[in-house]
Amino acid sequence: MPCVPFALLLLPAVVARAPNILFVLADDLDFDYKQDRKAIMPHLRERLADGGLEFVNHVAVVPVCGPSRTSLLAGRYPHNVGYVANARAPSVAAWSKLQNDTLGRWMQRAGYHTAFLGKYINGMECDVPAGWHHWGGLTCTRLHGERLGGTYNYLNASQWRANFDDAGMLLGEKQVKIWGNVHQTAYLGEQTLEQVEIAVAKRRPFFVHVTPLTVHGGTCEGPQPEEKYAFWDPYWERYNYDPTPVGPYGEGKGTVLTGSPCPTRTHAWSYNALRNPHLPSWAAFANGTVPKHIAAEGNPHGLHARGCCDAWEADRQDFVYRNRTAAARDLDDMLGVILKGLDKMRLSDSTFVFFSSDNGFHLGEHRMLFGKTKPYATDVRLPMYVAGPGLPRGETRPLPTTHLDITATIAELGGAAKHAPHPLDGLSFKAALGSAPPALSEWRDFSFSEFYVNDNTWRNIRLIDHATGQPAWAFHWWCSNQSEVYREADDPFQMANVGGDDPTPFGRSIVRRYLPATEVLGACVGGACNRMPPAGTPSANPLPCHDPGELLHVDEAWMD
Ligand SMILES: *[C@@H]1O[C@H](CO)[C@@H](O)[C@H](O)[C@H]1NC(C)=O
Ligand SMILES: *[C@@H]1O[C@H](CO)[C@@H](O)[C@H](O)[C@H]1NC(C)=O
Ligand SMILES: *[C@@H]1O[C@H](CO)[C@@H](O)[C@H](O)[C@H]1NC(C)=O
Ligand SMILES: *[C@@H]1O[C@H](CO)[C@@H](O)[C@H](O)[C@H]1NC(C)=O
Ligand SMILES: *[C@@H]1O[C@H](CO)[C@@H](O)[C@H](O)[C@H]1NC(C)=O
């Protein structure tokens, strides 16, 4: 039993048994490899980093929005969920069958008041899944023939407002709220507190999952068309128009580069002096073999076959960086509203706060213009913090946790794991929240990630060094049958591929030992996902380049 503050014992029995859980999931927020985060986000620093635990080796099991979020809600790898690619018909069909019985529903059955607020699954934003007493998901852009602001519109978004009882019966009406000119981070924080108040009134513990679009790319479209961009961004044309577009959806002149979020007016111009830091990997391929997919594409949207980064691109990356910085500040303001609200309600001592992101983000590293979806550390590693009752403060944990482990941990904290209809692929790290965390050897010393979209199909194992608690190496296997091995202990920016066509003895030994393991893990279920397959396991599950099927909602498909 973790240490429970005395005050808790005075609360109603159900609250004393089950802690409140708030899970804030940012969008496209990297793991702070530019080391700029804590200066930008004071509430994150004070309340979650200094005031809680930082899991420094946290990774995405799949570094892109929809697959990352579905796997998290189900607590299973994408290869078991079936939603492997954003807004593809087979992925949407697979999630349609599962979405009513996820972590929200299990927590509800364990006695929680559950609420979901913010971005939902790509291509499925018209849906209202079961399992949540309150559904405040941001909507799709076309509903019953009506055009709406949707999810990717920071100032003119549309949001479901629907309430349900324990049995899933709709209470009142299912409404769509249109947020003309109000920034997402302004209302998602307030709504979080509203849901907390409702839980308190019901004498229930709460599980609130709040998932703002911030700091993902999106528009500033206000409610007035004439206000569209002119007032907001005098540089819009310079920023957004690409002089040499060869886009995947056949765009002509005017291709929009989608890396930039829309910050609030409070912070939008506060970071104009900043430039995108150019790390050693910026605009540079690693030496050793460059996998075909990376060499050919050079950037995630195929806008420039030559890869990045020329002066024009570097300039736009600076814009993206400034706006991402300002948006991170907005996110921190939202976090501050929530944490201060919990203090005021005297709930901070009974609430676990989890903070992470769905995937990371690169901005010129490895010559990729901007985006995610790749096995590099920029994309798979994530920020992850937990603060809560009785937790140590200001400590770090080296365990290579994933979102699937967060699901398993929240389910354990809430007594909800028994309600999951399938085995969970993650491992609870509840023991690591105490003052005597398990050693890597007792828990798990590796993480596994996967990605299944055409040439960008890969599997990735990352191992943590037991002595230092730092990443030891990362092994990427591509469907082009190419390998990358980076000794991250000496090569944190992943600049020397010691695998590839001309491997060093170390690189060769990693490929020989772990390629079969990627094949086993790429089909694992439950507990088997948390044990490294023994050496010499025969190859049973090779990696062909996966065709994820037909793309739905092409107008928003780029918004992954
Ligand atoms: C999921 O729940 C919604 C709303 O309660 C319902 O309309 C839908 O049919 C359910 N889907 C499945 C696959 O059960
Ligand atoms: C804002 O949203 C409303 C409907 O939701 C729409 O009619 C209007 O055109 C939108 N404005 C902009 C600038 O997108
Ligand atoms: C992005 O940043 C630039 C300045 O750095 C600013 O002028 C512009 O308004 C921002 N764009 C958006 C979409 O917020
Ligand atoms: C990779 O190797 C397998 C055999 O191990 C082969 O079937 C497959 O065609 C190869 N893929 C590519 C893209 O060369
Ligand atoms: C590989 O890249 C690293 C970092 O850029 C550099 O220090 C090193 O000398 C390179 N090695 C070779 C063999 O080119």
Side-chain angles (χ1 to χ4, degrees):
M1 177 97 186
C3 131
V4 176
F6 180 66
L8 256 180
L9 304 174
L10 305 176
L11 293 173
V14 66
V15 179
R17 267 206 322 273
N20 300 311
I21 296 173
L22 169 71
F23 184 4
V24 180
L25 188 73
D27 199 328
D28 283 5
L29 194 70
D30 59 71
F31 80 99
D32 199 18
Y33 61 95
K34 291 175 180 164
Q35 300 192 338
D36 50 5
R37 181 76 30 80
K38 287 175 187 166
I40 298 161
M41 301 184 70
H43 294 103
L44 182 83
R45 183 183 68 237
E46 286 158 28
R47 298 292 297 266
L48 300 184
D50 298 347
L53 294 172
E54 178 172 2
F55 284 74
V56 291
N57 290 315
H58 192 76
V59 307
V61 293
V62 52
V64 76
C65 304
S68 180
R69 290 156 190 265
T70 48
S71 60
L72 188 157
L73 287 168
R76 309 191 84 186
Y77 273 101
H79 65 252
N80 291 327
V81 170
Y83 189 107
V84 297
N86 278 335
R88 303 290 184 139
S91 289
V92 167
W95 189 244
S96 298
K97 291 192 201 118
L98 300 177
Q99 64 177 343
N100 286 351
D101 200 358
T102 66
L103 184 59
R105 180 75 186 121
W106 318 333
M107 295 294 274
Q108 198 174 53
R109 292 179 68 191
Y112 277 76
H113 173 76
T114 61
F116 183 100
L117 300 164
K119 173 168 167 172
Y120 189 48
I121 308 306
N122 307 60
M124 304 185 73
E125 300 92 340
C126 297
D127 291 10
V128 175
W132 306 88
H133 289 106
H134 179 76
W135 185 256
L138 297 168
T139 75
C140 46
T141 49
R142 247 183 224 93
L143 192 63
H144 313 308
E146 201 195 333
R147 178 95 191 137
L148 295 168
T151 296
Y152 295 87
N153 198 329
Y154 276 86
L155 288 173
N156 200 23
S158 40
Q159 184 189 25
W160 287 108
R161 307 297 287 152
N163 298 302
F164 300 89
D165 68 10
D166 287 341
M169 294 298 292
L170 182 65
L171 302 171
E173 267 185 79
K174 229 192 252 180
Q175 294 177 329
V176 174
K177 165 85 186 167
I178 297 181
W179 286 101
N181 235 354
V182 186
H183 197 271
Q184 281 188 22
T185 49
Y187 52 86
L188 291 174
E190 297 296 342
Q191 290 177 349
T192 300
L193 296 175
E194 267 165 40
Q195 290 304 315
V196 168
E197 279 169 19
I198 291 169
V200 169
K202 284 162 74 171
R203 300 185 146 240
R204 296 272 192 99
F206 59 82
F207 171 50
V208 181
H209 190 25
V210 52
T211 64
L213 179 67
T214 342
V215 300
H216 190 286
T219 67
C220 283
E221 294 185 11
Q224 306 300 324
E226 60 272 21
E227 199 189 18
K228 208 168 174 181
Y229 293 104
F231 163 72
W232 185 249
D233 185 358
Y235 303 109
W236 184 81
E237 186 161 335
R238 174 169 164 244
Y239 166 60
N240 281 281
Y241 278 87
D242 179 344
T244 58
V246 201
Y249 306 116
E251 304 90 331
K253 188 170 165 62
T255 300
V256 174
L257 297 187
T258 58
S260 195
C262 168
T264 59
R265 282 162 203 203
T266 314
H267 299 307
W269 293 280
S270 307
Y271 299 96
N272 282 2
L274 296 185
R275 311 192 72 163
N276 178 35
H278 291 175
L279 302 172
S281 53
W282 184 78
F285 282 141
N287 46 29
T289 313
V290 176
K292 280 181 200 155
H293 178 56
I294 296 295
E297 197 176 349
N299 72 68
H301 295 278
L303 296 173
H304 300 273
R306 69 181 181 278
C308 97
C309 309
D310 62 18
W312 187 89
E313 290 163 335
D315 188 40
R316 271 137 198 91
Q317 285 173 352
D318 288 344
F319 278 70
V320 173
Y321 181 75
R322 287 174 198 137
N323 287 322
R324 282 172 56 84
T325 304
R329 185 63 196 267
D330 292 331
L331 185 63
D332 193 71
D333 287 351
M334 186 195 90
L335 200 57
V337 165
I338 296 173
L339 296 173
K340 283 177 192 151
L342 293 177
D343 290 348
K344 227 185 219 164
M345 289 187 257
R346 300 163 145 263
L347 290 169
S348 298
D349 287 344
S350 55
T351 303
F352 285 93
V353 180
F354 289 75
F355 179 93
S356 190
S357 175
D358 56 352
N359 49 255
F361 199 76
H362 54 254
L363 199 51
E365 293 81 21
H366 292 102
R367 284 183 70 175
M368 300 181 298
L369 184 58
F370 67 90
K372 50 266 178 136
T373 80
K374 301 298 187 288
Y376 299 105
T378 49
D379 295 23
V380 295
R381 289 185 67 180
L382 298 176
M384 212 281 268
Y385 300 88
V386 191
L391 261 62
R393 290 165 187 250
E395 292 184 13
T396 59
R397 294 287 180 266
L399 305 180
T401 47
T402 72
H403 281 1
L404 308 185
D405 305 323
I406 297 185
T407 314
T409 304
I410 290 178
E412 188 185 355
L413 289 169
K418 59 179 178 284
H419 300 300
H422 47 245
L424 296 182
D425 294 341
L427 198 56
S428 170
F429 52 81
K430 182 168 175 249
L433 301 179
S435 50
L440 283 160
S441 55
E442 295 163 34
W443 196 74
R444 195 183 68 217
D445 63 0
F446 70 93
S447 59
F448 175 71
S449 310
E450 56 187 4
F451 209 92
Y452 300 105
V453 180
N454 303 328
D455 290 349
N456 190 37
T457 294
W458 51 259
R459 289 175 178 145
N460 169 214
I461 294 178
R462 304 176 58 80
L463 191 94
I464 304 303
D465 186 291
H466 289 212
T468 63
Q470 300 294 323
W473 49 258
F475 166 43
H476 313 169
W477 182 253
W478 293 83
C479 66
S480 52
N481 290 338
Q482 292 180 288
S483 67
E484 286 172 278
V485 177
Y486 296 101
R487 306 187 77 144
E488 292 188 284
D490 309 316
D491 181 20
F493 298 109
Q494 303 186 311
M495 286 309 295
N497 177 10
V498 300
D501 294 346
D502 185 18
T504 64
F506 177 79
R508 184 174 293 117
S509 73
I510 294 290
V511 176
R512 189 180 297 135
R513 166 65 182 88
Y514 293 101
L515 176 56
T518 63
E519 294 172 354
V520 174
L521 292 170
C524 70
V525 177
C529 299
N530 299 303
R531 290 187 293 272
M532 183 57 76
T537 315
S539 164
N541 178 24
L543 189 60
C545 296
H546 179 77
D547 176 359
E550 184 201 345
L551 183 62
L552 303 175
H553 305 285
V554 174
D555 61 326
E556 283 204 349
W558 54 269
M559 293 168 167
D560 51 13

